[in-house]
């Protein structure tokens, strides 16, 4: 699966210190960036319930067809949405493993948070 970090277009969140952040965290942040747009999140949620074509997504979201198509392209490039052409239409669905890695990583973070001990001494300056 391609991650959203490979689609560094308008979602470019690079910072000078990014080279110090582990790759797995950069990939998780890229998935959050992908879902940070409310329309993309609405599209993903709709596709979690059923396969849809662009015209359905336009109806559901109220967005223009060109806008929906743009967001579908970003989601396809990130590997989280798959399109299946059928006649004049393309039916979209979530990729089977769309958010597995990100969801697993986030679940691990949440599970550990409540058990996190204080391991360091207080700062002196």
């Amino acid at each position: 699966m391609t991650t959203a970090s490979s689609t560094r277009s308008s979602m470019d969140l690079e910072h000078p210190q990014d080279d110090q952040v582990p790759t797995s965290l950069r990939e998780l942040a890229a998935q959050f960036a992908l879902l940070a747009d409310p329309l993309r999140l609405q599209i993903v949620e709709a596709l979690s319930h059923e396969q849809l074509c662009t015209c359905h997504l336009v109806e559901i979201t109220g967005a223009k067809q060109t806008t929906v198509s743009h967001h579908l392209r970003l989601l396809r490039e990130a590997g989280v949405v798959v399109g299946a052409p059928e006649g004049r239409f393309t039916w979209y669905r979530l990729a089977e493993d769309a958010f597995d890695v990100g969801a697993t990583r986030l679940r691990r973070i949440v599970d550990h948070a409540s058990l996190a001990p204080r391991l360091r001494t207080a700062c002196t300056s």
Side-chain angles (χ1 to χ4, degrees):
M1 176 177 111
T2 310
T3 63
S5 61
S6 63
T7 63
R8 295 298 246 192
S9 60
S10 61
M11 296 184 308
D12 194 353
L13 299 176
E14 254 185 86
H15 299 285
Q17 69 278 14
D18 269 359
D19 60 337
Q20 299 170 7
V21 177
T23 301
S24 62
L25 288 180
R26 281 197 306 267
E27 290 172 352
L28 182 60
Q31 281 201 340
F32 281 131
L34 187 67
L35 295 175
D37 182 275
L39 180 57
R40 276 195 297 274
L41 186 55
Q42 188 177 13
I43 290 169
V44 167
E45 185 174 37
L47 292 175
S48 74
H49 297 288
E50 62 179 315
Q51 294 184 26
L52 299 163
C53 63
T54 305
C55 62
H56 299 128
L57 290 166
V58 166
E59 182 181 316
I60 290 167
T61 64
K64 294 180 182 179
Q65 184 271 327
T66 54
T67 303
V68 169
S69 293
H70 168 74
H71 288 289
L72 283 169
R73 180 181 57 80
L74 292 175
L75 292 165
R76 280 193 325 271
E77 288 175 355
V80 299
V81 167
V82 177
E86 191 175 298
R88 292 182 9 198
F89 302 99
T90 300
W91 288 86
Y92 295 97
R93 63 176 175 79
L94 289 182
E96 191 173 315
D97 60 350
F99 297 102
D100 287 355
V101 173
T104 299
R105 183 69 188 254
L106 185 58
R107 172 54 43 205
R108 193 170 37 235
I109 290 170
V110 170
D111 288 347
H112 288 126
S114 63
L115 304 173
R118 184 182 303 171
L119 299 175
R120 299 172 192 252
T121 59
C123 300
T124 56
S125 56

